[in-house]
């Protein structure tokens, strides 16, 4: 079985993330979305909320599942039986960082990295950018799944 991991913090998941996940789901038998638990950062959404939003947003993909992890990505890949990490690249600046990570991952465990260029519709998109747009009353409906947009609007009204 060809299995891949799409890692990230997904705080929150955007349509750009979903584009990469959907395209990866056509290339691999199974795609595991790995939500990083980073105890040194406090996200807007809890890990449980991110997992739930991702499960809702990826429900149409029968070969995608969602899990959380902490520690090294390569250890998570090994535990999941995945030999490939799929990463979306928005710009050259993403490549510089991601190349270092890919080289470290292959050196540590032999896990390969597949770089997938982002759809130009989403090349500027980031979770932090959509949070700012919504915070200041802008329309982010083109950039987020409906379930995520509703939660984000609700969360930012509380703050």
């Amino acid at each position: 079985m060809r299995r891949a991991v799409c890692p990230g913090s997904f705080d929150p998941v955007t349509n750009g993330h979903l584009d990469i996940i959907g395209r990866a789901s056509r290339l691999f038998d199974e795609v595991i979305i790995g939500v990083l638990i980073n105890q040194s950062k406090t996200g807007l959404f809890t890990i449980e909320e991110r997992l739930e939003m991702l499960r809702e947003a990826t429900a149409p993909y029968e070969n995608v599942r969602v899990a959380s992890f902490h520690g090294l990505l390569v250890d998570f890949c090994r535990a999941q039986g995945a030999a490939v990490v799929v990463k979306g690249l928005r710009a050259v600046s993403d490549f510089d960082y991601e190349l270092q990570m890919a080289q470290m991952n292959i050196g540590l465990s032999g896990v390969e990295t597949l770089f997938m260029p982002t759809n130009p519709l989403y090349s500027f998109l980031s979770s932090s950018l959509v949070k700012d747009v919504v915070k200041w009353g802008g329309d982010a409906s083109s950039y987020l799944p409906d379930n995520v947009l509703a939660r984000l609007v609700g969360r930012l009204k509380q703050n």
Side-chain angles (χ1 to χ4, degrees), residues 7 14 16-17 20 86-103 113-120 122-128:
T14 69
H17 293 127
I20 297 296
V86 176
K87 298 291 292 194
L89 296 177
R90 295 170 293 189
V92 173
S93 56
D94 286 349
F95 181 74
D96 290 339
Y97 173 75
E98 295 296 348
L99 179 62
Q100 288 178 330
M101 296 300 292
Q103 290 170 330
T113 300
L114 171 66
F115 294 123
M116 204 176 273
T118 301
N119 181 323
Y122 308 119
S123 63
F124 61 91
L125 192 56
S126 69
S127 295
S128 57

Side-chain angles (χ1 to χ4, degrees), residues 6-157:
C6 287
S9 57
F10 304 101
D11 188 35
V13 61
T14 69
N15 288 342
H17 293 127
L18 293 176
D19 176 61
I20 297 296
I21 292 164
R23 289 163 53 203
S25 76
R26 294 191 297 272
L27 298 174
F28 295 93
D29 299 316
E30 183 178 33
V31 174
I32 302 121
I33 303 170
V35 181
L36 174 64
I37 300 169
N38 185 345
Q39 282 138 352
S40 65
K41 287 173 106 179
T42 302
L44 182 63
F45 293 100
T46 67
I47 295 298
E48 293 75 23
E49 289 171 321
R50 292 183 225 172
L51 293 170
E52 186 177 337
M53 287 187 286
L54 276 159
R55 287 184 183 114
E56 291 169 2
T58 60
Y61 303 109
E62 294 181 8
N63 63 333
V64 172
R65 66 183 168 89
V66 181
S68 61
F69 74 99
H70 58 84
L72 294 175
L73 175 58
V74 293
D75 291 339
F76 178 70
C77 290
R78 190 176 303 121
Q80 300 299 316
V84 177
V85 171
V86 176
K87 298 291 292 194
L89 296 177
R90 295 170 293 189
V92 173
S93 56
D94 286 349
F95 181 74
D96 290 339
Y97 173 75
E98 295 296 348
L99 179 62
Q100 288 178 330
M101 296 300 292
Q103 290 170 330
M104 182 59 79
N105 289 342
I106 199 162
L108 286 173
S109 69
V111 170
E112 292 286 354
T113 300
L114 171 66
F115 294 123
M116 204 176 273
T118 301
N119 181 323
L121 292 171
Y122 308 119
S123 63
F124 61 91
L125 192 56
S126 69
S127 295
S128 57
L129 184 59
V130 295
K131 285 188 274 194
D132 282 343
V133 168
V134 171
K135 176 182 175 182
W136 297 109
D139 179 10
S141 60
S142 298
Y143 311 120
L144 297 168
D146 292 341
N147 68 311
V148 174
L149 179 61
R151 283 191 185 208
L152 183 56
V153 168
R155 177 63 45 90
L156 292 175
K157 280 184 179 178

